[in-house]
Amino acid sequence: AERRTVWILHRSTPQVQKWFESNRLPCLVRGTPSEGISLPFLDVDWKATARHAAGMLWRLGHRRIGILTPLDRLVGVNAAIDGAQQITEDGFEVMVMEENGTAGGVERIFTRAMGTLDPPTALIATRARQVVTLFGCAARRGMKVPEDLSLVSLVT
């Protein structure tokens, strides 16, 4: 049997994707390829998923939501922000909450957001690691999920 090599490009930069494309190496992008790259890929439709989540939150009465993003936003996270911001109902606002990839970073932006005059009543997490930290942050403030704060995760 002939051996074959196929590369899986996970969290890859546009430069890495372009190199694989230019060198015609067999690969699969785990995620959404960068603009202008036509490699095969496997990802969820972040834009549609976030648009659905934001629309659901609007229908549940939420008017200000936060979407947590890592500092190193990949294509999918940017698409999620775009999707959530497609809900253009009067009075609906999406607050982009950028965290630094640590539990402390998530806690800092949560504390900052909840300390505003009009804090978000719902949050959308774009990373699984954010979810557990958000539950802890809410609990320390005496908030219950979902009674006091709704939380939607776009990932498992």
Side-chain angles (χ1 to χ4, degrees):
E2 188 177 335
R3 295 183 79 186
R4 300 279 179 171
T5 300
V6 177
W7 296 87
I8 297 175
L9 308 181
H10 182 254
R11 298 185 58 83
S12 56
T13 64
Q15 295 82 6
V16 168
Q17 293 174 14
K18 186 68 175 166
W19 187 86
F20 273 85
E21 187 174 57
S22 297
N23 288 287
R24 302 173 63 97
L25 292 172
C27 65
L28 175 75
V29 175
R30 172 48 191 98
T32 303
S34 298
E35 189 172 328
I37 303 292
S38 60
L39 293 172
F41 67 97
L42 176 66
D43 205 356
V44 299
D45 187 337
W46 285 81
K47 188 173 196 171
T49 304
R51 183 177 54 239
H52 175 74
M56 176 190 68
L57 291 168
W58 164 263
R59 287 187 298 282
L60 290 172
H62 298 280
R63 297 302 175 253
R64 187 162 199 224
I65 67 166
I67 184 166
L68 279 79
T69 70
L71 287 174
D72 60 337
R73 287 189 209 157
L74 298 174
V75 175
V77 172
N78 285 327
I81 293 167
D82 289 345
Q85 291 175 336
Q86 284 186 340
I87 305 303
T88 58
E89 302 292 339
D90 279 344
F92 187 74
E93 181 184 352
V94 176
M95 178 182 188
V96 177
M97 301 168 61
E98 197 171 71
E99 51 90 2
N100 68 4
T102 67
V106 171
E107 187 157 7
R108 277 189 295 281
I109 63 159
F110 178 88
T111 301
R112 188 177 315 132
M114 293 304 155
T116 62
L117 291 176
D118 188 18
T121 58
L123 299 174
I124 297 176
T126 61
R127 294 287 177 262
R129 63 175 171 71
Q130 296 166 340
V131 176
V132 172
T133 304
L134 290 170
F135 273 110
C137 292
R140 282 188 289 284
R141 290 183 74 91
M143 301 171 80
K144 295 179 182 173
V145 176
E147 293 88 346
D148 303 317
L149 178 70
S150 290
L151 178 57
V152 175
S153 177
L154 300 184
V155 293
T156 56

